Amino acid sequence: MSRKLISTLILLAVAVVVMLLNAGDTVNLHLLWTSIKMRAAFAYLGFTTVGVLIGILLK
């Protein structure tokens, strides 16, 4: 594994831990026709996942 990949994985792991430690808060996600109420950590984790996937596709 390259040094860049290892540092990226460590950074992602830290982000996941921080998000899961904030699991008590809830957020309302207002989509086009509906609203979803979920824990903030899972919403942030989902947004981070989408961002990583976009980064991989743009690479």
Side-chain angles (χ1 to χ4, degrees):
M1 286 188 169
S2 69
R3 184 178 218 177
K4 185 177 178 181
L5 180 64
I6 292 172
S7 63
T8 303
L9 290 175
I10 290 171
L11 186 61
L12 282 173
V14 169
V16 168
V17 169
V18 169
M19 288 178 213
L20 291 177
L21 288 176
N22 294 322
D25 300 333
T26 58
V27 294
N28 288 325
L29 296 177
H30 300 286
L31 303 174
L32 293 176
W33 60 88
T34 187
S35 180
I36 300 172
K37 185 175 183 180
M38 63 176 19
R39 289 187 176 177
F42 293 122
Y44 302 149
L45 187 61
F47 293 135
T48 303
T49 303
V50 170
V52 168
L53 291 176
I54 289 171
I56 289 171
L57 290 175
L58 290 175
K59 180 178 176 186

